[in-house]
Amino acid sequence: MPWAVAGAALLWSACESPLGETTGSYDGSDGLADGWNTNPNESPTGTTLLPTAPNVSVRDGIVTSPAGYAVVDEICGAFAIQEEEPDRGRVFATPMFRAFAVRGDRAWAVDGSRLFEFSLTDPTSPRLVAIPDGATGTPIALAVSDDALWVATVDGLIRHAFAVDGSLETGATIPLTGDGPVLDVAAAGDSVVLARGSAGLTRLSPDGDGWTQVDSPGIGLANALSVAGDVVAVAACLEVRIHALDDALTLVQRIPIPYGQAKSVALDGDRLYVGVGLAMLAIRIGEAPALIGHYADPVAGFYVNDLLHRDGVVYIAAGDESVRAVRIDASTIAPGIPITWDEPDPEVDSPIALPTPILAVQDYVVPRDPLALTLEGNLLYALGNFRYRGRRTIEVFDVAQPGYLEPVGQWEEPVRVGSTDALGDGTLISGETGAWLVTGDAAMAVEPSTREPIAASTARGAVGVLASRRGGLLLLGDSDPVPSPFGNANIAAGALAMDDERLYAASIDEDAILVARRDPPGLLGALSLEDSFFGEAALAVAGDRLLAYDRITGLLTTFLVTNEPLPLRVGLTWIGPCEAYDYASTFDGSRAARAQFAVLGDRAFLSCPRPEGVGDASLPRLYELDPEIPAIVRTLGMPEGALTHLAVSESALAALYWSPGRLESTLVVRPIDDASSDALTTTFVGHGAGIAAFGDGWVVGDAFWGTLRRYGADVKAISSRELAP
């Protein structure tokens, strides 16, 4: 029988391996079937879409693979293909925390784009306090020594000395020789050790006012590190190496990996725990290294993103939205299977028998992907990303009882602002944490009639409307809020519009446009067509026309608004798909770039952030429409990027761009009719979520900081005010 299952642990027999053998020639497997995720609707944690290229042996110094989603957190496959590119670290810039370091009541995290500082006054509830300057490049790994925070930035190393009060001083770049990337960093006494990909292992030691660099003697790769006492274990794809932390980084031992690829490693005494893709291997090192057990799950097929070991427990950050605690009963472990090299072409001897260690597991499933782990005292911090929503997260577990995970806290990237609308002489702001009417120096909080986050808003003159996914409220000037006439309709994000008498909302459940009377509030009926999908349509009112852009078919439908209860369909034209996303776009949060309208009187504009089959799909388009025909009057080219929000004033069009991977937003303003004038731009650290014309300038809601930013016509910042705690 090839399979034997004990609890959640899979043990392989002599005749078959659940992971498949990997020899000295890399076959692109990475522990995944054919090298890629087999579920086309789901990309594994930390992925990028690679181009088509032939397989090449790992010993040739470059590894390429067929097109598909590849894990970028190692050099065994996906990263090596980037080494000759100027911006080889760009694949790491996704909105997910990759490392966490703690010192006293402060902690720091990196996400491939920036350095984040947290307060741990309450260790179970991290509180973001700053995004320090100086972490340039692509920060992906952290280490804390006695006097400094070390930041690995793929293309370099930055040292932030600690001030007397524990805060960070300005970072200083440490010059390195050699071309290898910096993928991991670990403190070792007064030195630091670096995993530098194809360049191997590096140690930096203080030397007066400078640093002495020692490199490993040209032996293999270095992907991830684990320091234990006076030695360091190096995960290096086909092997794990043990080096002494001496002046020469002496190679102590090379241990071939029998299955998968070594991408994460934890060393504890004579035990080595290795993440190899779809499994964790337990190896006893020494004169006769032996494979003594493993943990895998043939059903879930989780990916080992990171692992740590303490007190006989291996903690795993798994790519199936879980954190796992694997308790190993060492008393049951037999001698195991010897692991040897078969020179000259390294190939692991076929296993004859595998003892049956007891591997008891407790897992904690969370709606997010943990990517990295940090242990501090009795607290385990799991870092990662909220799957498909592009949000950085930290989960906190109490592990005082070895092998048990007790969730005690979390931090999740906030989305405090969801939309921004001009409302009379003020601004209507809405988001997951509430809504506000901002006029002059006053910001009045508005309590919705539902506890659910607000999904959509719109405003016309002095009237504003808010709606949640299930219900909502209607604001009539300064009057008290009244219940939504749409009842419990599931309203799509951004799918609201109104004229002087009616309110329109796209209902996901009914796949229709609901029409309601504004005063007194009351449902009038629904607009539904066999050839259109209105469940998540973008809506706008221009003059006496209701415009509905069908995101699925790319059709634009126009309705004539009359005295009848429901508008009459009068026009239909094909605009084309404007949201040509791949699965990576869904995963990393850039799907926020959605088609939407901006209206000025009877002039209508439609943003097409990702046009399909229209020139370069990476360049957004902006269409001016004739609502009466309907037809595209002209096409305006826009800068490259994820165009997420659109607004118009009497003289200009404003577009808001959002880069979730870099936590960066850009405001672009161009004249509405003067094509010869250059666009004005400004960029800020934050999540721009909604824009509206205000006076002769613009206001922008910042979802990350919970602030309202005001800009002049020249896009120079005027003010910023906090809306939400």
Side-chain angles (χ1 to χ4, degrees), residues 88 136-141 150-159 172-176 178-185 194-196 204:
R88 62 186 176 186
T136 57
T138 311
I140 60 172
W150 299 85
V151 184
T153 66
V154 178
D155 288 315
L157 181 68
I158 296 176
R159 179 180 182 270
T173 300
I174 305 300
L176 300 172
D179 295 329
V182 182
L183 300 179
D184 199 6
V185 57
L194 311 177
R196 303 191 64 197
L204 291 176

Side-chain angles (χ1 to χ4, degrees), residues 35 53 90 137 142 184 202 210 290 306 319 358 396 420 431 437 498 544 568 589 649 675 684 714:
R90 76 186 191 283
L142 295 171
D184 199 6
T202 291
D306 194 16
I358 296 176
V396 188
T420 305
L437 288 173
M498 67 174 167
D544 59 359
L568 304 175
S649 69
F684 60 90
D714 56 0

